[in-house]
Amino acid sequence: AGIMDRPGTFAVTVAHMLQRNIVYYTNSTIGVLGWVTIKLPKVMYVLPVAAVLVCVLLLPRAHEPRIGLLEVAWQIVLLGSCILLIFVAAYLYFTPVGLGVVHSVQGRYFLPLAGLAAVTLSTTIPPLRLHGPLPVLAVFIISSAEVFLTSVVIIRAYEVF
């Protein structure tokens, strides 16, 4: 009822929620350990993004497909529509009708969209590809740092040793 009566207001609400909660959505994409009580160091939220950017921007590919402007526009429309549908579902299921916020949206709900976003980025951004072992080594180091930091957080939180 609330969405159909005032679709413009709902769109503004979604935009406001995205703007206001971007840090929360980022943190809840990676997660909080335990019973949502063990916060991770801030660097652990940056490392996976850095690894994806290195893969998308720097790793060479043998036969790299390119997509046109129309396909890029279509994929952006798909991404935006999926984000909007996540908010519509959360509004309909968790939020009282007419409320000016959308309850219960978490960053993990956006994870399935990451693949489409990565494909769109990697096929539209001009190649900055580095040849040689440096990009692969960078991804290995970033991944190793993430695993090491996760182990340290778990050992400290649960006093394993």
Side-chain angles (χ1 to χ4, degrees), residues 131-150:
H131 297 288
L134 189 60
V136 174
L137 182 63
V139 171
F140 176 75
I141 290 171
I142 292 169
S143 302
S144 299
E146 187 77 14
V147 169
F148 175 75
L149 288 172
T150 302

Side-chain angles (χ1 to χ4, degrees), residues 83-111:
I83 290 169
L84 181 63
L85 287 173
I86 289 168
F87 278 91
V88 168
Y91 182 80
L92 293 174
Y93 194 73
F94 297 113
T95 308
V97 175
L99 200 59
V101 297
V102 180
H103 289 301
S104 299
V105 176
Q106 299 175 21
R108 63 187 174 145
Y109 300 157
F110 302 110
L111 277 176

